[in-house]
mmCIF file with all atom_site columns, all heavy atoms in Angstrom:
data_model
loop_
_atom_site.group_PDB
_atom_site.id
_atom_site.type_symbol
_atom_site.label_atom_id
_atom_site.label_alt_id
_atom_site.label_comp_id
_atom_site.label_asym_id
_atom_site.label_entity_id
_atom_site.label_seq_id
_atom_site.pdbx_PDB_ins_code
_atom_site.Cartn_x
_atom_site.Cartn_y
_atom_site.Cartn_z
_atom_site.occupancy
_atom_site.B_iso_or_equiv
_atom_site.pdbx_formal_charge
_atom_site.auth_seq_id
_atom_site.auth_comp_id
_atom_site.auth_asym_id
_atom_site.auth_atom_id
_atom_site.pdbx_PDB_model_num
ATOM 1   N N   . PRO L 1 416 ? 5.848  191.315 129.152 1.00 96.00 ? 416 PRO L N   1
ATOM 2   C CA  . PRO L 1 416 ? 6.223  192.534 128.432 1.00 96.00 ? 416 PRO L CA  1
ATOM 3   C C   . PRO L 1 416 ? 5.705  192.477 127.002 1.00 96.00 ? 416 PRO L C   1
ATOM 4   O O   . PRO L 1 416 ? 5.071  191.491 126.604 1.00 96.00 ? 416 PRO L O   1
ATOM 5   C CB  . PRO L 1 416 ? 7.749  192.492 128.474 1.00 96.00 ? 416 PRO L CB  1
ATOM 6   C CG  . PRO L 1 416 ? 8.062  191.022 128.420 1.00 96.00 ? 416 PRO L CG  1
ATOM 7   C CD  . PRO L 1 416 ? 6.952  190.346 129.206 1.00 96.00 ? 416 PRO L CD  1
ATOM 8   N N   . TYR L 1 417 ? 5.987  193.517 126.212 1.00 93.00 ? 417 TYR L N   1
ATOM 9   C CA  . TYR L 1 417 ? 5.570  193.476 124.808 1.00 93.00 ? 417 TYR L CA  1
ATOM 10  C C   . TYR L 1 417 ? 6.266  192.324 124.093 1.00 93.00 ? 417 TYR L C   1
ATOM 11  O O   . TYR L 1 417 ? 5.644  191.568 123.358 1.00 93.00 ? 417 TYR L O   1
ATOM 12  C CB  . TYR L 1 417 ? 5.871  194.808 124.119 1.00 93.00 ? 417 TYR L CB  1
ATOM 13  C CG  . TYR L 1 417 ? 5.335  194.856 122.704 1.00 93.00 ? 417 TYR L CG  1
ATOM 14  C CD1 . TYR L 1 417 ? 4.039  195.311 122.458 1.00 93.00 ? 417 TYR L CD1 1
ATOM 15  C CD2 . TYR L 1 417 ? 6.101  194.429 121.617 1.00 93.00 ? 417 TYR L CD2 1
ATOM 16  C CE1 . TYR L 1 417 ? 3.524  195.337 121.165 1.00 93.00 ? 417 TYR L CE1 1
ATOM 17  C CE2 . TYR L 1 417 ? 5.597  194.454 120.337 1.00 93.00 ? 417 TYR L CE2 1
ATOM 18  C CZ  . TYR L 1 417 ? 4.313  194.904 120.101 1.00 93.00 ? 417 TYR L CZ  1
ATOM 19  O OH  . TYR L 1 417 ? 3.809  194.924 118.829 1.00 93.00 ? 417 TYR L OH  1
ATOM 20  N N   . SER L 1 418 ? 7.556  192.222 124.295 1.00 90.00 ? 418 SER L N   1
ATOM 21  C CA  . SER L 1 418 ? 8.332  191.112 123.740 1.00 90.00 ? 418 SER L CA  1
ATOM 22  C C   . SER L 1 418 ? 9.686  191.098 124.453 1.00 90.00 ? 418 SER L C   1
ATOM 23  O O   . SER L 1 418 ? 10.083 192.100 125.053 1.00 90.00 ? 418 SER L O   1
ATOM 24  C CB  . SER L 1 418 ? 8.519  191.259 122.222 1.00 90.00 ? 418 SER L CB  1
ATOM 25  O OG  . SER L 1 418 ? 9.371  192.346 121.924 1.00 90.00 ? 418 SER L OG  1
ATOM 26  N N   . PRO L 1 419 ? 10.400 189.979 124.448 1.00 95.00 ? 419 PRO L N   1
ATOM 27  C CA  . PRO L 1 419 ? 10.021 188.690 123.865 1.00 95.00 ? 419 PRO L CA  1
ATOM 28  C C   . PRO L 1 419 ? 9.062  187.938 124.776 1.00 95.00 ? 419 PRO L C   1
ATOM 29  O O   . PRO L 1 419 ? 8.722  188.419 125.865 1.00 95.00 ? 419 PRO L O   1
ATOM 30  C CB  . PRO L 1 419 ? 11.370 187.972 123.765 1.00 95.00 ? 419 PRO L CB  1
ATOM 31  C CG  . PRO L 1 419 ? 12.142 188.499 124.940 1.00 95.00 ? 419 PRO L CG  1
ATOM 32  C CD  . PRO L 1 419 ? 11.744 189.944 125.060 1.00 95.00 ? 419 PRO L CD  1
ATOM 33  N N   . ALA L 1 420 ? 8.655  186.748 124.333 1.00 97.00 ? 420 ALA L N   1
ATOM 34  C CA  . ALA L 1 420 ? 7.748  185.935 125.128 1.00 97.00 ? 420 ALA L CA  1
ATOM 35  C C   . ALA L 1 420 ? 8.411  185.527 126.441 1.00 97.00 ? 420 ALA L C   1
ATOM 36  O O   . ALA L 1 420 ? 9.607  185.239 126.490 1.00 97.00 ? 420 ALA L O   1
ATOM 37  C CB  . ALA L 1 420 ? 7.332  184.691 124.338 1.00 97.00 ? 420 ALA L CB  1
ATOM 38  N N   . THR L 1 421 ? 7.623  185.505 127.508 1.00 97.00 ? 421 THR L N   1
ATOM 39  C CA  . THR L 1 421 ? 8.107  185.086 128.820 1.00 97.00 ? 421 THR L CA  1
ATOM 40  C C   . THR L 1 421 ? 8.050  183.565 128.937 1.00 97.00 ? 421 THR L C   1
ATOM 41  O O   . THR L 1 421 ? 7.026  182.958 128.631 1.00 97.00 ? 421 THR L O   1
ATOM 42  C CB  . THR L 1 421 ? 7.254  185.718 129.933 1.00 97.00 ? 421 THR L CB  1
ATOM 43  O OG1 . THR L 1 421 ? 7.297  187.144 129.810 1.00 97.00 ? 421 THR L OG1 1
ATOM 44  C CG2 . THR L 1 421 ? 7.758  185.320 131.310 1.00 97.00 ? 421 THR L CG2 1
ATOM 45  N N   . ARG L 1 422 ? 9.139  182.966 129.378 1.00 98.00 ? 422 ARG L N   1
ATOM 46  C CA  . ARG L 1 422 ? 9.191  181.501 129.522 1.00 98.00 ? 422 ARG L CA  1
ATOM 47  C C   . ARG L 1 422 ? 8.508  181.096 130.827 1.00 98.00 ? 422 ARG L C   1
ATOM 48  O O   . ARG L 1 422 ? 8.889  181.533 131.914 1.00 98.00 ? 422 ARG L O   1
ATOM 49  C CB  . ARG L 1 422 ? 10.647 181.032 129.509 1.00 98.00 ? 422 ARG L CB  1
ATOM 50  C CG  . ARG L 1 422 ? 10.862 179.525 129.740 1.00 98.00 ? 422 ARG L CG  1
ATOM 51  C CD  . ARG L 1 422 ? 10.515 178.709 128.524 1.00 98.00 ? 422 ARG L CD  1
ATOM 52  N NE  . ARG L 1 422 ? 10.783 177.286 128.746 1.00 98.00 ? 422 ARG L NE  1
ATOM 53  C CZ  . ARG L 1 422 ? 11.873 176.651 128.316 1.00 98.00 ? 422 ARG L CZ  1
ATOM 54  N NH1 . ARG L 1 422 ? 12.816 177.317 127.655 1.00 98.00 ? 422 ARG L NH1 1
ATOM 55  N NH2 . ARG L 1 422 ? 12.021 175.360 128.542 1.00 98.00 ? 422 ARG L NH2 1
ATOM 56  N N   . VAL L 1 423 ? 7.494  180.263 130.731 1.00 98.00 ? 423 VAL L N   1
ATOM 57  C CA  . VAL L 1 423 ? 6.778  179.751 131.892 1.00 98.00 ? 423 VAL L CA  1
ATOM 58  C C   . VAL L 1 423 ? 6.563  178.257 131.692 1.00 98.00 ? 423 VAL L C   1
ATOM 59  O O   . VAL L 1 423 ? 5.734  177.844 130.889 1.00 98.00 ? 423 VAL L O   1
ATOM 60  C CB  . VAL L 1 423 ? 5.412  180.451 132.096 1.00 98.00 ? 423 VAL L CB  1
ATOM 61  C CG1 . VAL L 1 423 ? 4.753  179.939 133.369 1.00 98.00 ? 423 VAL L CG1 1
ATOM 62  C CG2 . VAL L 1 423 ? 5.560  181.962 132.151 1.00 98.00 ? 423 VAL L CG2 1
ATOM 63  N N   . ASP L 1 424 ? 7.313  177.440 132.426 1.00 98.00 ? 424 ASP L N   1
ATOM 64  C CA  . ASP L 1 424 ? 7.172  175.986 132.362 1.00 98.00 ? 424 ASP L CA  1
ATOM 65  C C   . ASP L 1 424 ? 6.279  175.506 133.503 1.00 98.00 ? 424 ASP L C   1
ATOM 66  O O   . ASP L 1 424 ? 6.214  176.126 134.570 1.00 98.00 ? 424 ASP L O   1
ATOM 67  C CB  . ASP L 1 424 ? 8.532  175.305 132.461 1.00 98.00 ? 424 ASP L CB  1
ATOM 68  C CG  . ASP L 1 424 ? 9.424  175.600 131.264 1.00 98.00 ? 424 ASP L CG  1
ATOM 69  O OD1 . ASP L 1 424 ? 8.869  175.812 130.164 1.00 98.00 ? 424 ASP L OD1 1
ATOM 70  O OD2 . ASP L 1 424 ? 10.652 175.626 131.420 1.00 98.00 ? 424 ASP L OD2 1
ATOM 71  N N   . PHE L 1 425 ? 5.615  174.390 133.273 1.00 98.00 ? 425 PHE L N   1
ATOM 72  C CA  . PHE L 1 425 ? 4.737  173.806 134.281 1.00 98.00 ? 425 PHE L CA  1
ATOM 73  C C   . PHE L 1 425 ? 5.107  172.347 134.521 1.00 98.00 ? 425 PHE L C   1
ATOM 74  O O   . PHE L 1 425 ? 5.384  171.610 133.567 1.00 98.00 ? 425 PHE L O   1
ATOM 75  C CB  . PHE L 1 425 ? 3.270  173.859 133.834 1.00 98.00 ? 425 PHE L CB  1
ATOM 76  C CG  . PHE L 1 425 ? 2.698  175.253 133.755 1.00 98.00 ? 425 PHE L CG  1
ATOM 77  C CD1 . PHE L 1 425 ? 2.775  175.985 132.573 1.00 98.00 ? 425 PHE L CD1 1
ATOM 78  C CD2 . PHE L 1 425 ? 2.085  175.833 134.850 1.00 98.00 ? 425 PHE L CD2 1
ATOM 79  C CE1 . PHE L 1 425 ? 2.237  177.260 132.485 1.00 98.00 ? 425 PHE L CE1 1
ATOM 80  C CE2 . PHE L 1 425 ? 1.542  177.108 134.782 1.00 98.00 ? 425 PHE L CE2 1
ATOM 81  C CZ  . PHE L 1 425 ? 1.618  177.824 133.601 1.00 98.00 ? 425 PHE L CZ  1
ATOM 82  N N   . GLU L 1 426 ? 5.114  171.940 135.794 1.00 97.00 ? 426 GLU L N   1
ATOM 83  C CA  . GLU L 1 426 ? 5.237  170.538 136.166 1.00 97.00 ? 426 GLU L CA  1
ATOM 84  C C   . GLU L 1 426 ? 3.947  170.119 136.855 1.00 97.00 ? 426 GLU L C   1
ATOM 85  O O   . GLU L 1 426 ? 3.571  170.699 137.874 1.00 97.00 ? 426 GLU L O   1
ATOM 86  C CB  . GLU L 1 426 ? 6.421  170.319 137.111 1.00 97.00 ? 426 GLU L CB  1
ATOM 87  C CG  . GLU L 1 426 ? 7.771  170.388 136.438 1.00 97.00 ? 426 GLU L CG  1
ATOM 88  C CD  . GLU L 1 426 ? 8.892  169.947 137.360 1.00 97.00 ? 426 GLU L CD  1
ATOM 89  O OE1 . GLU L 1 426 ? 8.672  169.945 138.601 1.00 97.00 ? 426 GLU L OE1 1
ATOM 90  O OE2 . GLU L 1 426 ? 9.961  169.598 136.864 1.00 97.00 ? 426 GLU L OE2 1
ATOM 91  N N   . LEU L 1 427 ? 3.261  169.144 136.279 1.00 97.00 ? 427 LEU L N   1
ATOM 92  C CA  . LEU L 1 427 ? 1.979  168.724 136.817 1.00 97.00 ? 427 LEU L CA  1
ATOM 93  C C   . LEU L 1 427 ? 2.122  167.399 137.564 1.00 97.00 ? 427 LEU L C   1
ATOM 94  O O   . LEU L 1 427 ? 2.784  166.475 137.087 1.00 97.00 ? 427 LEU L O   1
ATOM 95  C CB  . LEU L 1 427 ? 0.948  168.572 135.691 1.00 97.00 ? 427 LEU L CB  1
ATOM 96  C CG  . LEU L 1 427 ? 0.688  169.799 134.809 1.00 97.00 ? 427 LEU L CG  1
ATOM 97  C CD1 . LEU L 1 427 ? -0.507 169.532 133.892 1.00 97.00 ? 427 LEU L CD1 1
ATOM 98  C CD2 . LEU L 1 427 ? 0.444  171.052 135.638 1.00 97.00 ? 427 LEU L CD2 1
ATOM 99  N N   . GLU L 1 428 ? 1.474  167.337 138.708 1.00 94.00 ? 428 GLU L N   1
ATOM 100 C CA  . GLU L 1 428 ? 1.507  166.127 139.514 1.00 94.00 ? 428 GLU L CA  1
ATOM 101 C C   . GLU L 1 428 ? 0.307  165.249 139.179 1.00 94.00 ? 428 GLU L C   1
ATOM 102 O O   . GLU L 1 428 ? -0.834 165.723 139.132 1.00 94.00 ? 428 GLU L O   1
ATOM 103 C CB  . GLU L 1 428 ? 1.487  166.477 141.002 1.00 94.00 ? 428 GLU L CB  1
ATOM 104 C CG  . GLU L 1 428 ? 1.576  165.267 141.921 1.00 94.00 ? 428 GLU L CG  1
ATOM 105 C CD  . GLU L 1 428 ? 1.529  165.648 143.389 1.00 94.00 ? 428 GLU L CD  1
ATOM 106 O OE1 . GLU L 1 428 ? 1.424  166.855 143.689 1.00 94.00 ? 428 GLU L OE1 1
ATOM 107 O OE2 . GLU L 1 428 ? 1.587  164.726 144.226 1.00 94.00 ? 428 GLU L OE2 1
ATOM 108 N N   . SER L 1 429 ? 0.587  163.979 138.952 1.00 92.00 ? 429 SER L N   1
ATOM 109 C CA  . SER L 1 429 ? -0.480 163.031 138.643 1.00 92.00 ? 429 SER L CA  1
ATOM 110 C C   . SER L 1 429 ? -1.369 162.822 139.855 1.00 92.00 ? 429 SER L C   1
ATOM 111 O O   . SER L 1 429 ? -0.890 162.732 140.991 1.00 92.00 ? 429 SER L O   1
ATOM 112 C CB  . SER L 1 429 ? 0.127  161.704 138.202 1.00 92.00 ? 429 SER L CB  1
ATOM 113 O OG  . SER L 1 429 ? -0.836 160.685 138.210 1.00 92.00 ? 429 SER L OG  1
ATOM 114 N N   . LEU L 1 430 ? -2.663 162.734 139.622 1.00 87.00 ? 430 LEU L N   1
ATOM 115 C CA  . LEU L 1 430 ? -3.594 162.455 140.717 1.00 87.00 ? 430 LEU L CA  1
ATOM 116 C C   . LEU L 1 430 ? -3.317 161.094 141.332 1.00 87.00 ? 430 LEU L C   1
ATOM 117 O O   . LEU L 1 430 ? -3.466 160.894 142.544 1.00 87.00 ? 430 LEU L O   1
ATOM 118 C CB  . LEU L 1 430 ? -5.036 162.510 140.206 1.00 87.00 ? 430 LEU L CB  1
ATOM 119 C CG  . LEU L 1 430 ? -5.585 163.917 139.908 1.00 87.00 ? 430 LEU L CG  1
ATOM 120 C CD1 . LEU L 1 430 ? -6.943 163.799 139.220 1.00 87.00 ? 430 LEU L CD1 1
ATOM 121 C CD2 . LEU L 1 430 ? -5.703 164.733 141.183 1.00 87.00 ? 430 LEU L CD2 1
ATOM 122 N N   . MET L 1 431 ? -2.897 160.121 140.522 1.00 78.00 ? 431 MET L N   1
ATOM 123 C CA  . MET L 1 431 ? -2.560 158.803 141.041 1.00 78.00 ? 431 MET L CA  1
ATOM 124 C C   . MET L 1 431 ? -1.360 158.893 141.975 1.00 78.00 ? 431 MET L C   1
ATOM 125 O O   . MET L 1 431 ? -1.329 158.247 143.036 1.00 78.00 ? 431 MET L O   1
ATOM 126 C CB  . MET L 1 431 ? -2.257 157.840 139.891 1.00 78.00 ? 431 MET L CB  1
ATOM 127 C CG  . MET L 1 431 ? -3.470 157.489 139.049 1.00 78.00 ? 431 MET L CG  1
ATOM 128 S SD  . MET L 1 431 ? -4.719 156.581 140.006 1.00 78.00 ? 431 MET L SD  1
ATOM 129 C CE  . MET L 1 431 ? -3.831 155.044 140.282 1.00 78.00 ? 431 MET L CE  1
#
Side-chain angles (χ1 to χ4, degrees):
Y417 186 89
S418 69
T421 302
R422 176 76 177 261
V423 184
D424 294 330
F425 292 90
E426 286 189 341
L427 303 189
E428 182 181 0
S429 166
L430 287 172
M431 291 296 292

